[in-house]
Amino acid sequence: MANESKIVTLKNGYHVWTRKEGHGPIKILLLHGGPGMDHEYLEPFSDYIKIHPEIEIIYYDQLGSYFSDQPNDPKLWTIPRFIEEIEEIEEVRKAWNLDQFYLYGQSFGGLFALEYAASKYGKHVKALIDSNMVDSYQDYAKYINKYRESMDPADVSYMKKQEEQHNYNDPNYQELLMKLYHRCICRISPWPDAVQRTFDHMNEQVYVTLQGPTEFNITGSCKNWTIRDRLSKITMPALVLGGKYDSMNPAEIKALADRLPNGTAHICPNGSHFSIFDDQEDYFNAITSFIKTVENK
């Protein structure tokens, strides 16, 4: 069977949605970002494997995401709990009998991909693809706020004033926020349907508890996360992807690749945080080249 959906029952009793597409010998497990988003914005992979039948992909909605169980329990959305739930990725791996597979993580999913690759389970990973994620949330917070300073000073001042008052639902604030997101999150206007669906289906409890109220107010439990001191444990080949207009610092993307024992970086010249859409050809060409290099070793 080329395509197959499977609900995986976790050891904690919750259920997560997964779906396999394709039937090739090269397996890629896809970890979406957010936090609290779902797999839908990764749907370009479905078209990608149509021209690369040697590749099989597994979509997976993390616990709390739209197609999986969404417990109403903010205590679940902490970095220590999520790191413990590397076991969740391991359970999905076992459910699909994956071994020596490619682990792909985009944005917040990149955090989990790095954590899994550095864990005792990293022995199962043939190669790692970390897309649009750096190795320190503090670096990300500094850069995204510096990025905002390129806006009209009056707009920046207005946004900061609303943030001080926790007035995040102010219509003008939301308009300015989306204006900025169209510069650094996805540069296609209007946003592609898959991107819009992902944002429509976001679990706000997960996002706010882990991240904070916006990309510029990182007050959640992930604000002090870093894996920089453990990168030496990630010894498999690793591709670190970013975009020139990314909300993640392209210089830090390159630095992360340099810190990895076997890392390489690629910055999409026209891409943002969702280079998978706004610099799609270059993005997937980089993935194809990386896979060919790994497979030919």
Side-chain angles (χ1 to χ4, degrees):
M1 180 181 290
N3 298 341
E4 178 187 357
S5 295
K6 183 181 294 187
I7 302 298
V8 178
T9 302
L10 305 176
K11 291 178 182 177
N12 58 19
Y14 292 120
H15 306 89
V16 294
W17 174 95
T18 67
R19 178 174 172 80
K20 175 181 75 72
E21 293 190 2
H23 194 66
I26 299 171
K27 322 287 186 180
I28 307 178
L29 176 60
L30 306 173
L31 307 182
H32 65 77
M37 288 186 176
D38 65 11
H39 76 282
E40 290 174 291
Y41 76 97
L42 299 180
E43 287 174 0
F45 271 98
S46 294
D47 290 328
Y48 174 66
I49 64 171
K50 289 176 183 176
I51 56 175
H52 291 280
E54 72 278 10
I55 296 175
E56 173 183 301
I57 57 173
I58 296 92
Y59 291 115
Y60 149 46
D61 267 21
Q62 299 152 20
L63 182 64
S65 296
Y66 186 72
F67 289 88
S68 294
D69 284 354
Q70 300 180 56
N72 181 17
D73 185 358
K75 294 192 297 295
L76 289 171
W77 320 128
T78 67
I79 284 294
R81 204 286 302 176
F82 263 94
I83 300 308
E84 290 172 7
E85 288 303 311
I86 293 301
E87 299 286 342
E88 182 179 312
I89 300 173
E90 176 64 4
E91 290 179 66
V92 171
R93 181 193 73 80
K94 289 179 178 178
W96 287 106
N97 298 310
L98 300 174
D99 198 24
Q100 294 307 295
F101 66 102
Y102 287 74
L103 181 60
Y104 166 99
Q106 198 277 338
S107 191
F108 200 72
L111 181 157
F112 295 120
L114 289 166
E115 287 285 356
Y116 184 91
S119 76
K120 63 183 179 181
Y121 302 121
K123 63 186 179 182
H124 299 293
V125 179
K126 185 173 187 177
L128 173 71
I129 302 174
D130 171 33
S131 179
N132 314 94
M133 185 65 203
V134 292
D135 57 6
S136 164
Y137 241 90
Q138 288 295 308
D139 283 345
Y140 164 61
K142 290 176 185 175
Y143 183 75
I144 189 66
N145 278 283
K146 183 179 178 182
Y147 197 113
R148 180 166 67 170
E149 296 300 323
S150 64
M151 294 177 69
D152 183 289
D155 290 341
V156 177
S157 177
Y158 182 87
M159 291 184 76
K160 289 182 177 179
K161 182 177 180 180
Q162 301 308 309
E163 289 162 3
E164 289 170 2
Q165 299 173 355
H166 302 284
N167 194 15
Y168 299 107
N169 292 323
D170 173 75
N172 192 35
Y173 177 85
Q174 285 293 320
E175 184 177 336
L176 292 171
L177 187 66
M178 291 308 299
K179 181 178 179 181
L180 194 53
Y181 283 1
H182 276 278
R183 289 175 56 188
C184 66
I185 302 298
C186 183
R187 301 174 71 215
I188 297 174
S189 185
W191 277 353
D193 175 64
V195 174
Q196 192 59 58
R197 276 185 280 122
T198 289
F199 274 83
D200 290 345
H201 293 157
M202 179 185 286
N203 186 326
E204 290 289 340
Q205 184 185 89
V206 177
Y207 180 83
V208 173
T209 307
L210 274 162
Q211 174 96 1
T214 74
E215 296 291 299
F216 308 98
N217 306 94
I218 301 175
T219 57
S221 60
C222 65
K223 64 181 179 180
N224 293 318
W225 174 84
T226 182
I227 196 172
R228 191 168 296 172
D229 60 338
R230 290 176 285 129
L231 292 177
S232 61
K233 296 181 179 180
I234 302 175
T235 57
M236 70 287 294
L239 172 64
V240 188
L241 289 163
K244 180 180 178 180
Y245 305 98
D246 204 331
S247 54
M248 300 282 176
N249 189 347
E252 279 300 322
I253 294 286
K254 294 177 181 178
L256 167 56
D258 289 339
R259 293 181 192 114
L260 288 165
N262 198 6
T264 184
H266 179 85
I267 305 299
C268 298
N270 297 306
S272 66
H273 198 56
F274 283 3
S275 300
I276 191 173
F277 283 97
D278 52 30
D279 204 355
Q280 191 170 96
E281 182 176 0
D282 184 79
Y283 184 86
F284 279 111
N285 282 345
I287 291 175
T288 300
S289 295
F290 175 67
I291 291 174
K292 284 182 178 178
T293 300
V294 173
E295 293 299 310
N296 290 333
K297 280 188 176 180

